[in-house]
């Protein structure tokens, strides 16, 4: 922590202080006693930032302070709407002038604050109100830190000084810049372990050890990869004798279900799985627990008393003993991290302390012991919670409305820096069985920060793909497999998020801040640096067999990730997709590394496929490391030169020992007309415009280069072939099919097709699906 701001960056009066943290970020403090808080707080850890240029001019009893971006006028009196205002030099309009106390409504869509996130989605069916973030359509946002406790020299929360403590973000429409400034004062998103980016299995169900390992073996035999095994509360005793209270809290293995816990954990590790156990610790440690005698002695109590040891979260001595005596022995036996499911309120013995915040803070720091890369799994506890990944959003209702809300909810969390949400993919409880909906949820999970399947205690609500119809099961399996293939890309974005302050999933308006994105494309999100996702969250039309998703595409060319269809940007598009398709687009020049072959574990892969989306120059630096807390890392820069059709794998920079030897490479260039290369074997798929080149083994220290025999030309999909296949699938009358095909056959000119389609006497729901094919590149 570096909480003390540079003295020359503050202007101080008897009761007030203004600190310039960046040209667009100000700290505004008022203290009746004339004392100010210089310690770190629960939210803000860093104020010692690089100097920002500003000027100060006396203004009556107050000041006028100007940075390169802002002008603050302050009357020197207790903060008020009339006496404290901030204007932005580059953002015009009366709504963009901030007055102290101005409301920041979060609506959908909104002309106010664009929203942050919330503590939980428990029992939510659809949308709910979000807290504020630091990104706003008004161009300004505030972060109120007055209720945040200070941290003492040991990092323990303690009452704070001062009265008002407000951070003003005046970033105009630069949402990404506002989030970077938030990270500057709160700390970055940490690096997650690589295994966190695979698929997580979780289900509220009283598994036995044999049942659980048999399930993991079936997943493997059916080609469904998983990297994390989350075991809900039935791992511990839940049926308790009278006098012991609730069975929700527990710290001792249920040996009826798990007679040999150590062997069970070892077996899961041998299957390549990390293990998390659920904790509801609020009821304390009771006398039946295995760790009770040792904990009682550690705390100076008589183990024979059998008195409940209350969960004293605000007591440092208790917390240290709790970790050392209760949790560490379980970790030593093989528990990799904890699912901290705190649902017991926001009060504690320390006034103002939410137990959830301290549990997240302590669990995360403790998980780094012995040189491990830290991780915890818990609920959101307010701004600054991004430092304690991964988030658990709670028990949503199984409905299309819940599915439709989750993309917006996930992306908007980036506005408060919270980048690593984990949802109950497929829905948790209540709701209705709908195979199509759950399959769509699996597809969203593939393109979510963390992909964790979960469901409530019901024999009918499991998310095992074989519980669903063959169509949905196939889609679910492919979604799980694609998630593991994406791990090289996801892990690189993990490092980018940590280093640059760019969350993996973020709203489209972070990159393209215009009204079309702020007001009309709130479900569309960016997935890393290369991809755009327009999630399918509504049922398909029974006649076209497609769902429709409308999204704004930024300027440039965008290419369907799966079938190579090119779309011109700078406009709205409506994407129609069958259940086996999903609306994911790559910008021209995008480079996406994927695991190649059937080895879908989460280690640095021995075989890579690099998918290049032609149409513009591109560059991508693949990041790999040894997954340590202080990682040994290697970076491999991949480039595509559009003019010459040259792809280059640069020599590895850093420590090549983390790169598998040998490693084979395959190149897929998407979006080009038929092409060939010399020296390497290649094949061409005319349907998607994809050239596949087998490079074989590449020495990391040397790299490799592939050049097309001629400069690439643009891929033009065979519109008639696509239209014929589409019309064949339509669940409509044959007269409509014949009329439509006759019209298209008689009018080969694209412009005539577009002009005549609207008036064609066929069913209206068919026309938009045809129009997408006709208008994709126009």
């Amino acid at each position: 922590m570096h909480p003390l701001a540079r003295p020359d960056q503050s202007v101080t009066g008897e009761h007030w202080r203004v600190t310039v943290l960046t040209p667009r970020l100000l700290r505004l403090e008022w203290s009746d006693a004339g004392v100010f808080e210089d310690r770190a707080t629960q939210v803000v850890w860093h104020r010692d930032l690089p100097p920002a240029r500003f000027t100060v001019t006396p203004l009556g009893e107050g000041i006028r302070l100007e940075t390169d971006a802002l002008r603050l006028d302050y009357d020197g009196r207790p903060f008020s709407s009339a006496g404290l205002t901030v204007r932005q030099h580059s953002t015009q309009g009366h709504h963009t002038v901030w007055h102290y106390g101005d409301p920041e409504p979060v609506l959908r869509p909104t002309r106010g604050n664009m929203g942050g996130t919330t503590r939980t989605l428990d029992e939510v069916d659809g949308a709910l109100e979000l807290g504020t973030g630091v990104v706003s359509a008004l161009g300004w946002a505030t972060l109120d830190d007055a209720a945040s406790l200070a941290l003492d020299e040991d990092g323990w929360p303690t009452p704070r000084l001062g009265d008002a403590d407000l951070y003003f973000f005046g970033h105009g429409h630069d949402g990404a810049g506002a989030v970077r400034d938030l990270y500057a004062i709160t700390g970055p998103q940490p690096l997650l372990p690589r295994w966190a980016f695979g698929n997580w299995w979780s289900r509220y169900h009283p598994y036995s050890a044999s049942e659980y390992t048999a399930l993991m073996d079936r997943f493997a035999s059916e080609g469904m990869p998983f990297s994390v095994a989350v075991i809900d509360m039935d791992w511990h005793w839940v049926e308790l004798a009278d006098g012991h209270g609730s069975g929700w809290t527990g710290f001792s293995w249920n040996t009826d279900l798990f007679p040999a816990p150590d062997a069970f954990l070892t077996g899961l590790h041998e299957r390549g799985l990390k293990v998390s156990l659920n904790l509801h610790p609020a009821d304390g440690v009771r006398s039946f627990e295995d760790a009770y005698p040792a904990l009682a002695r550690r705390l100076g109590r008589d183990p024979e008393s059998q008195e409940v040891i209350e969960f004293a979260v605000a007591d440092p001595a208790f917390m240290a003993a709790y970790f050392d005596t209760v949790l560490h022995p379980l970790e030593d036996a093989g528990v990799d991290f904890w699912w901290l499911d705190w649902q017991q309120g926001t009060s504690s013995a320390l006034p103002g302390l939410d137990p959830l915040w301290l549990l997240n803070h302590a669990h995360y720091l403790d998980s780094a012991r012995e040189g491990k890369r830290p991780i915890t799994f818990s609920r959101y506890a307010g701004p600054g919670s991004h430092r304690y990944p991964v988030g658990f959003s709670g028990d949503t209702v199984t409905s299309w409305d819940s599915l439709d809300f989750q993309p917006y909810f996930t992306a908007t969390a980036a506005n408060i820096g919270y980048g690593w949400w984990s949802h109950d993919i497929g829905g948790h409880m209540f709701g209705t069985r709908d195979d199509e909906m759950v399959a769509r949820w699996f597809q969203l999970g593939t393109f979510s920060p963390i992909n964790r399947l979960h469901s409530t205690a019901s024999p009918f609500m499991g998310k095992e793909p074989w519980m669903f119809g063959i169509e949905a099961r196939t889609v679910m399996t492919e979604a799980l497999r694609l998630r593991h293939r994406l791990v090289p890309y996801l892990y690189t974005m993990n490092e980018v998020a940590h280093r640059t302050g760019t969350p993996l999933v973020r709203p489209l308006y972070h990159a393209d801040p215009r009204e079309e994105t702020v007001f009309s494309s709130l479900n569309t999100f960016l997935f890393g640096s290369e991809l755009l996702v327009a999630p399918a969250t509504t049922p398909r039309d029974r006649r076209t067999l497609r769902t429709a998703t409308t999204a704004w595409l930024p300027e440039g060319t965008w290419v369907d990730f799966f079938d190579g269809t090119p779309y011109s940007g700078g406009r709205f598009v409506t994407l129609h997709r069958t259940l086996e398709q999903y609306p994911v687009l790559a910008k021209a020049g995008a480079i996406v590394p994927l695991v190649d072959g059937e080895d879908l574990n989460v280690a640095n892969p021995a075989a890579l496929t690099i998918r290049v989306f032609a149409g513009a120059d591109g560059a991508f630096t693949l990041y790999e490391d040894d997954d340590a807390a202080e990682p040994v890392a290697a970076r491999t820069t991949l480039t595509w030169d559009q003019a010459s059709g040259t792809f280059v794998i640069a020599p590895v920079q850093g420590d090549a020992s983390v790169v598998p030897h040998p490693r084979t490479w395959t190149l897929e260039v998407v979006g080009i007309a038929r092409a060939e290369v010399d020296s390497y074997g290649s094949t061409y798929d005319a349907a998607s415009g994809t050239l596949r080149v087998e490079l074989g083994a590449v020495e990391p220290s040397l790299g490799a280069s592939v050049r097309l025999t001629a400069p690439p030309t643009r891929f033009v999909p065979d519109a008639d072939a696509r239209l014929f296949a589409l019309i064949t699938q339509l669940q409509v009358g044959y007269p409509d099919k014949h009329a439509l095909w006759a019209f298209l056959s008689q009018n080969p000119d694209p412009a005539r097709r577009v002009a005549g389609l609207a008036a064609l006497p066929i069913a209206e729901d068919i026309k938009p699906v045809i129009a997408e094919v006709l208008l994709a590149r126009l």
Side-chain angles (χ1 to χ4, degrees):
M1 301 177 185
H2 304 88
L4 188 61
R6 296 169 182 259
D8 58 0
Q9 293 299 117
S10 294
V11 183
T12 307
E14 183 179 357
H15 294 285
W16 55 268
R17 182 167 67 176
V18 177
T19 304
V20 179
L21 295 164
T22 77
R24 292 188 174 275
L25 176 58
L26 308 176
R27 185 189 189 195
L28 312 173
E29 297 172 90
W30 175 270
S31 170
D32 290 337
V35 292
F36 305 101
E37 186 57 79
D38 287 326
R39 295 170 293 179
T41 68
Q42 290 174 282
V43 177
V44 177
W45 287 9
H46 307 286
R47 305 186 194 98
D48 184 13
L49 304 183
R53 183 173 56 191
F54 68 96
T55 62
V56 178
T57 305
L59 191 68
E61 299 177 17
I63 60 169
R64 170 169 289 172
L65 182 150
E66 290 195 68
T67 72
D68 293 340
L70 307 174
R71 189 189 87 192
L72 174 143
D73 291 321
Y74 172 48
D75 62 6
R77 300 171 183 171
F79 292 166
S80 68
S81 60
L84 179 56
T85 62
V86 180
R87 291 170 170 81
Q88 302 173 63
H89 297 329
S90 61
T91 306
Q92 304 302 317
H94 67 283
H95 288 302
T96 65
V97 178
W98 174 75
H99 306 80
Y100 179 78
D102 277 353
E104 300 181 55
V106 179
L107 307 170
R108 185 188 182 202
T110 180
R111 291 189 179 273
N113 193 285
M114 296 304 293
T117 192
T118 193
R119 187 182 185 106
T120 181
L121 296 180
D122 277 352
E123 299 187 23
V124 172
D125 188 0
L128 83 167
E129 185 176 348
L130 301 178
T132 57
V134 299
V135 180
S136 175
L138 301 174
W140 57 262
T142 63
L143 176 65
D144 189 350
D145 198 35
S148 179
L149 296 174
L151 303 182
D152 63 20
E153 293 181 356
D154 294 327
W156 199 257
T158 187
R160 59 170 297 145
L161 305 173
D163 297 292
D165 190 359
L166 196 70
Y167 291 82
F168 175 85
F169 292 77
H171 291 76
H173 300 303
D174 181 11
V179 173
R180 286 194 297 271
D181 273 2
L182 174 68
Y183 289 136
I185 60 173
T186 58
Q189 294 184 104
L191 272 175
L192 286 177
R194 189 179 182 93
W195 46 260
F197 294 99
N199 299 313
W200 296 28
W201 176 257
S202 180
R203 185 181 180 188
Y204 183 16
H205 176 77
Y207 287 108
S208 67
S210 58
E211 182 184 10
Y212 200 94
T213 53
L215 176 64
M216 296 300 106
D217 289 341
R218 181 169 181 184
F219 281 139
S221 69
E222 300 218 9
M224 301 174 187
F226 285 88
S227 62
V228 177
V230 181
I231 305 173
D232 213 318
M233 58 177 288
D234 288 284
W235 72 271
H236 62 72
W237 300 107
V238 295
E239 300 293 336
L240 307 182
D242 291 344
H244 284 304
S246 167
W248 284 89
T249 296
F251 305 98
S252 307
W253 283 97
N254 178 343
T255 51
D256 289 342
L257 296 175
F258 300 91
D262 293 5
F264 170 68
L265 295 171
T266 298
L268 293 180
H269 289 153
E270 290 172 348
R271 290 166 171 81
L273 295 158
K274 298 294 183 180
V275 184
S276 179
L277 303 183
N278 175 278
L279 289 179
H280 293 85
D283 287 339
V285 181
R286 291 160 290 186
S287 59
F288 66 86
E289 300 285 5
D290 298 340
Y292 179 84
L295 180 63
R297 287 191 293 269
R298 168 78 176 260
L299 295 173
R301 304 186 186 187
D302 179 8
E304 299 300 321
S305 71
Q306 298 197 359
E307 293 179 354
V308 175
I309 301 175
E310 301 292 341
F311 196 85
V313 68
D315 180 354
F318 169 81
M319 290 297 289
Y322 167 68
F323 281 111
D324 289 346
T325 339
V326 180
L327 299 188
H328 289 174
L330 294 165
E331 294 172 20
D332 293 340
V335 177
D336 295 292
F337 66 111
W338 298 98
W339 172 12
L340 187 64
D341 195 358
W342 180 267
Q343 299 170 303
Q344 287 76 27
T346 58
S347 62
S348 70
L350 178 59
L353 174 65
D354 180 349
L356 178 61
W357 180 88
L358 185 52
L359 284 167
N360 291 349
H361 179 72
H363 266 267
Y364 184 80
L365 295 178
D366 185 73
S367 71
R369 68 190 185 94
E370 299 178 354
K372 295 182 293 186
R373 185 173 296 181
I375 187 172
T376 193
F377 178 33
S378 185
R379 296 174 188 265
Y380 176 77
S385 292
H386 64 268
R387 295 186 300 255
Y388 315 117
V390 169
F392 159 57
S393 64
D395 302 340
T396 49
V397 172
T398 307
S399 69
W400 283 102
D401 286 342
S402 290
L403 171 59
D404 184 64
F405 182 63
Q406 280 194 357
Y408 166 76
F409 176 84
T410 307
T412 302
N415 293 337
I416 198 65
Y418 201 69
W420 299 119
W421 264 126
S422 157
H423 303 305
D424 287 9
I425 294 299
H428 182 77
M429 59 187 177
F430 306 142
T432 303
R433 164 73 179 246
D434 188 320
D435 286 18
E436 179 192 0
M437 176 183 67
V438 178
R440 287 299 191 197
W441 225 318
F442 268 57
Q443 291 168 324
L444 177 63
T446 298
F447 296 97
S448 292
I450 300 296
N451 188 31
R452 179 181 53 85
L453 313 183
H454 190 52
S455 55
T456 193
S458 164
F460 305 110
M461 295 194 72
K463 299 304 184 298
E464 297 89 342
W466 51 82
M467 290 185 65
F468 298 83
I470 186 62
E471 182 188 28
R473 173 178 176 169
T474 301
V475 170
M476 293 173 180
T477 301
E478 288 305 309
L480 294 172
R481 291 174 62 80
L482 177 58
R483 176 68 183 197
H484 273 240
R485 292 197 69 203
L486 280 164
V487 167
Y489 177 73
L490 293 165
Y491 195 66
T492 297
M493 292 301 108
N494 175 39
E495 192 273 338
V496 169
H498 171 69
R499 176 170 48 85
T500 71
T502 307
L504 169 69
V505 171
R506 60 203 189 282
L508 187 56
Y509 51 77
H510 277 211
D512 193 20
R514 62 176 77 203
E515 286 197 358
E516 290 87 345
T517 58
V518 171
F519 299 116
S520 302
S521 289
L522 294 179
N523 262 27
T524 304
F525 59 83
L526 299 167
F527 190 68
S529 59
E530 313 296 288
L531 300 177
L532 178 152
V533 181
T537 59
T538 55
R540 60 187 167 186
D541 181 86
R542 71 173 186 84
R543 289 155 57 83
T544 67
L545 300 181
R546 286 159 170 79
T547 189
T549 304
T550 299
W552 173 262
L553 296 187
E555 295 289 345
T557 298
W558 294 83
V559 183
D560 186 282
F561 182 81
F562 298 101
D563 70 11
T565 302
Y567 295 83
S568 55
R571 64 186 176 115
F572 286 106
V573 296
T574 299
L575 305 170
H576 301 84
R577 297 294 185 269
T578 62
L579 186 57
E580 66 268 18
Q581 301 169 329
Y582 205 65
V584 180
L585 304 179
K587 64 181 182 180
I591 298 175
V592 180
L594 301 165
V595 175
D596 193 25
E598 292 298 312
D599 188 7
L600 295 180
N601 63 51
V602 292
N604 296 330
L608 280 170
T609 292
I610 308 300
R611 188 171 292 180
V612 174
F613 295 86
D617 293 344
F620 186 92
T621 300
L622 176 68
Y623 175 85
E624 300 171 283
D625 64 26
D626 61 353
D627 230 14
E630 298 294 333
V632 172
R635 288 177 167 83
T636 306
T637 299
L638 313 172
T639 57
W640 166 255
D641 180 74
Q642 175 67 22
S644 64
T646 303
F647 174 73
V648 175
I649 305 170
V652 169
Q653 301 295 309
D655 193 328
S657 67
V658 302
V659 178
H661 292 66
R663 165 175 281 173
T664 60
W665 295 72
T666 299
L667 170 65
E668 293 180 347
V669 183
V670 183
I672 61 173
R674 186 174 295 276
E676 296 179 346
V677 297
D678 293 330
S679 305
Y680 297 104
S682 65
T683 57
Y684 182 76
D685 176 25
S688 62
T690 301
L691 175 70
R692 182 177 173 90
V693 184
E694 305 291 346
L695 280 68
V698 174
E699 171 56 43
S701 63
L702 299 178
S705 177
V706 179
R707 183 167 182 166
L708 306 187
T709 55
T713 56
R714 189 179 76 174
F715 167 60
V716 179
D718 186 338
D720 283 356
R722 293 189 176 201
L723 289 167
F724 186 84
L726 191 160
I727 294 169
T728 300
Q729 293 176 341
L730 293 175
Q731 309 290 295
V732 301
Y734 288 106
D736 277 358
K737 290 176 182 276
H738 285 286
L740 177 56
W741 186 244
F743 163 73
L744 294 170
S745 300
Q746 295 163 14
N747 294 277
D749 179 67
R752 288 181 61 84
R753 288 177 165 183
V754 172
L757 180 63
L760 197 65
I762 60 173
E764 290 298 317
D765 56 350
I766 301 175
K767 295 177 182 179
V769 183
I770 302 299
E772 180 190 345
V773 178
L774 300 178
L775 295 171
R777 197 60 182 267
L778 294 181

